[in-house]
Amino acid sequence: MTHFLKSAALLLCLVLVGCASTTPSGQTDTYTLATTPSAPGVRNDNSAPGLRNPIYPSGGLRALPSLTLSSLPVHALTPPANMWDRIRLGFAMPDLDNDLVRDREQWYATRPDYVQRMTDRGGKYLFYIVEELERRGMPTELALLPFIESAFNPQAVSSARAAGMWQFMPATGKYFELKQNMFRDERRDVLASTRAALDYLQRLYGMFGDWHLALAAYNWGEGSVSRAIAKNKKLGLGTSYLDLKMPMETQFYVPKLQAVKNIVADPDKFNTFLPAIGNHPYFQTVEIRRDIDVALAAKLAEVPLSDFRALNPSASKPVLLAAGTPTILLPWDNAEVFQANLEAYGGSGLASWTAWIAPTTLKPADAASRFNMSENELREVNNIKGRMLIRAGSTLLVRRDSSVLNDVSNHVADNGQLSLAPEVVLRKTSVKAGKKDSVASLAKRYGLNAAEVARWNNVSASAVFKAGQKVVVYLPARASRAVRAAPSSKAARSSPGSSAKKAAKVPARKKAVVAPKKTAPAKKK
């Protein structure tokens, strides 16, 4: 048996040696692979007679030349552990150095409590914003812009109605497809507003080719900056950020950002403490498939309600609509907790609120009575103030009855709006009937219902009044005061109510503001 194994081994060696071939003198070695048949209709480059695919280039292996690495940028294999370091690495905007920058540096450096609050808030969002900036190849200084706009408060609202941590005006938000309706305002949404802000900044940089001018346009409006540049060109003046004549707010805008950048670059120089922010995600998105109360969602996620609202600031109502808000943001470690608790939840329902469309114009009290709610509760949840009427077609948030099985539809969740009108206050007024005046003629003169005029005066709808007879009518407060103040003259007596009719005429509306065409509206706050 041993003799047989030795013979087999020797035979195998001879076979292998026989497979090696030598090439004729003057030819180079060629290493080949066996060819395979081509698929039908596919050309095989090695199908020609005598050709095979080489494993290595003709001539065999050759030594690689040594590489000189000293002239090439080398990135560390370990990413920055701290977000501040990561932001510093991405600084790419030209620095601004003037007295306004020094002034803002001093302002921030002498307010450590303010800096602490806004950096604590910003810690929730910085990782996501920097990720988006790096993905787009934009300077990471822009991650500091919400410090200037809103102190990183996603609920911030300016006196000019700019909202969110990026401070979008309503019209600008609509231009960049941020939904604003009864149930949510995406100008406050962390993901949507960041996407829109970076889209806008990229657009402005493409227009002006200069980040300082782009930032000025973000604050002042692209049209304003373009006109200022054109004016300086006409006068033969410079057109840089520092050359343009701008409002005081815009003059300070870039210096504010530069001051924050300088503090982040070297906090010790300004005796400023920056809280540690890890270079990792703070939140992740979680899908919701049913309408759910905000308070219940926070409870199932096991996070404080204030923290939940900080990550989901666009949800201004007490309920999240799955059709309009298909995902929510939760702290990274709480996302799985929420999903597990949601699956195990055994309550009767996830949402105690739903949407209702008013079929007719009605008072808040009348709407509340339909859903076993107090008027105050309905006013508070729908933000209805003063003596207002709810117009027909308006969408209201109301208590959800156990018999309501369906969630709010996509159409209502995306388009629901509340439209209000001032409630008209009627006052009891006496007018003198003219010659041949009747219930019908007085009702027509004052724009009233003839049956109501008859009821107010305890007469039939076909009754005719005597000349000079006092007739009771209920008129809007302004009109009733005008009737009482009307001069007693022959003309007034011969045409009773004529002055009241003029006084009661609705004043002309102010000229409507026409929405601009599809150009980004000014950002001015």
Side-chain angles (χ1 to χ4, degrees):
M1 182 67 177
T2 303
H3 177 72
F4 174 76
L5 291 175
K6 288 181 179 180
S7 299
L10 179 60
L11 178 61
L12 178 60
C13 289
L14 291 173
V15 171
L16 292 175
V17 171
C19 290
S21 61
T22 58
T23 57
S25 177
Q27 293 185 6
T28 56
D29 294 336
T30 302
Y31 299 82
T32 62
L33 279 176
T35 60
T36 56
S38 299
V42 178
R43 180 179 179 271
N44 189 333
D45 289 336
N46 59 21
S47 60
L51 292 180
R52 294 187 172 213
N53 289 337
I55 297 179
Y56 301 113
S58 178
L61 296 177
R62 290 184 295 271
L64 293 174
S66 60
L67 297 178
T68 302
L69 298 178
S70 59
S71 63
L72 300 176
V74 179
H75 292 279
L77 295 177
T78 305
N82 192 295
M83 279 306 304
W84 302 117
D85 289 336
R86 184 174 176 183
I87 291 171
R88 293 177 191 118
L89 289 173
F91 284 166
M93 289 170 54
D95 286 329
L96 189 69
D97 189 6
N98 61 14
D99 291 340
L100 292 182
V101 175
R102 304 283 85 77
D103 177 86
R104 292 299 89 188
E105 287 174 346
Q106 181 69 14
W107 193 91
Y108 287 116
T110 55
R111 290 165 173 79
D113 292 344
Y114 177 77
V115 173
Q116 180 73 30
R117 286 196 302 274
M118 68 179 188
T119 50
D120 284 343
R121 283 196 293 259
K124 297 180 177 65
Y125 317 112
L126 275 174
F127 179 88
Y128 173 76
I129 295 172
V130 172
E131 284 273 305
E132 285 296 299
L133 288 169
E134 291 179 345
R135 186 176 64 81
R136 295 169 181 240
M138 300 172 72
T140 52
E141 287 98 326
L142 297 173
L144 307 176
L145 194 59
F147 286 125
I148 312 306
E149 287 287 349
S150 63
F152 258 112
N153 179 7
Q155 297 287 8
V157 180
S158 75
S159 58
R161 297 195 303 143
M165 64 182 179
W166 294 98
Q167 288 290 283
F168 273 97
M169 294 288 286
T172 316
K174 289 178 182 177
Y175 180 88
F176 285 97
E177 299 178 351
L178 297 177
K179 291 186 180 296
Q180 301 161 59
N181 57 36
M182 175 69 183
F183 302 105
R184 71 187 189 278
D185 185 348
E186 288 186 341
R187 295 179 298 160
R188 295 182 171 92
D189 184 88
V190 175
L191 305 188
S193 68
T194 298
R195 183 269 308 160
L198 301 192
D199 284 350
Y200 193 15
L201 288 165
Q202 279 186 311
R203 180 180 188 274
L204 294 172
Y205 181 72
M207 289 179 63
F208 299 106
D210 179 280
W211 278 115
H212 292 166
L213 292 176
L215 288 166
Y218 188 84
N219 176 260
W220 190 23
E222 61 202 61
S224 299
V225 172
S226 296
R227 287 189 292 271
I229 290 174
K231 182 178 179 180
N232 273 25
K233 283 183 177 179
K234 188 175 181 180
L235 297 173
L237 302 175
T239 57
S240 71
Y241 175 78
L242 294 176
D243 293 322
L244 301 183
K245 185 177 181 181
M246 298 176 289
M248 186 64 69
E249 179 185 333
T250 311
Q251 290 180 37
F252 272 92
Y253 193 68
V254 175
K256 283 181 181 180
L257 182 62
Q258 183 68 54
V260 173
K261 173 184 176 178
N262 293 345
I263 292 171
V264 170
D266 191 357
D268 292 339
K269 178 181 177 181
F270 300 96
N271 296 318
T272 300
F273 171 76
L274 297 179
I277 302 174
N279 185 17
H280 54 75
Y282 180 87
F283 58 78
Q284 63 174 307
T285 58
V286 178
E287 182 181 4
I288 58 172
R289 298 181 179 178
R290 298 298 307 273
D291 294 354
I292 183 172
D293 288 346
V294 169
L296 177 59
K299 181 180 178 181
L300 294 178
E302 299 181 13
V303 298
L305 185 58
S306 59
D307 289 351
F308 184 90
R309 288 197 177 279
L311 289 177
N312 301 278
S314 64
S316 60
K317 300 301 180 186
V319 64
L320 297 164
L321 304 182
T325 312
T327 58
I328 57 175
L329 302 185
L330 291 175
W332 191 266
D333 294 333
N334 296 86
E336 290 186 5
V337 173
F338 171 80
Q339 290 175 325
N341 288 341
L342 181 61
E343 291 176 4
Y345 180 70
S348 57
L350 296 175
S352 55
W353 299 89
T354 190
W356 176 71
I357 299 177
T360 184
T361 299
L362 71 172
K363 295 180 179 179
D366 296 333
S369 65
R370 298 188 180 207
F371 299 95
N372 196 29
M373 298 171 63
S374 69
E375 181 181 352
N376 287 339
E377 183 182 33
L378 183 127
R379 283 179 173 275
E380 182 178 357
V381 76
N382 291 285
N383 194 29
I384 302 173
K385 296 180 174 63
R387 301 179 70 106
M388 304 297 288
L389 294 176
I390 301 164
R391 285 179 171 169
S394 291
T395 303
L396 290 174
L397 196 64
V398 297
R399 286 289 181 183
R400 179 169 174 166
D401 188 82
S402 58
S403 62
V404 178
L405 302 178
N406 295 328
D407 290 335
V408 177
S409 69
N410 284 312
H411 178 76
V412 174
D414 282 340
N415 300 286
Q417 298 287 350
L418 176 62
S419 179
L420 302 174
E423 181 180 347
V424 178
V425 179
L426 299 178
R427 294 183 183 276
K428 182 178 180 180
T429 307
S430 293
V431 297
K432 288 184 179 180
K435 189 177 182 181
K436 298 183 180 179
D437 260 336
S438 64
V439 169
S441 65
L442 285 177
K444 182 178 180 181
R445 182 177 303 151
Y446 292 105
L448 302 172
N449 182 280
E452 289 184 330
V453 173
R455 179 170 57 82
W456 294 335
N457 292 276
N458 294 319
V459 296
S460 67
S462 59
V464 176
F465 297 111
K466 296 178 180 178
Q469 181 180 345
K470 288 186 177 181
V471 181
V472 174
V473 291
Y474 285 83
L475 301 176
R478 184 180 299 177
S480 63
R481 287 195 297 269
V483 169
R484 287 196 296 270
S488 177
S489 65
K490 183 176 180 180
R493 288 193 299 272
S494 63
S495 180
S498 59
S499 60
K501 182 178 180 181
K502 292 178 182 178
K505 184 178 179 180
V506 178
R509 294 180 181 270
K510 292 183 179 179
K511 186 177 180 180
V513 178
V514 180
K517 294 183 179 180
K518 195 67 172 180
T519 56
K523 177 68 171 56
K524 186 177 178 181
K525 298 190 291 294

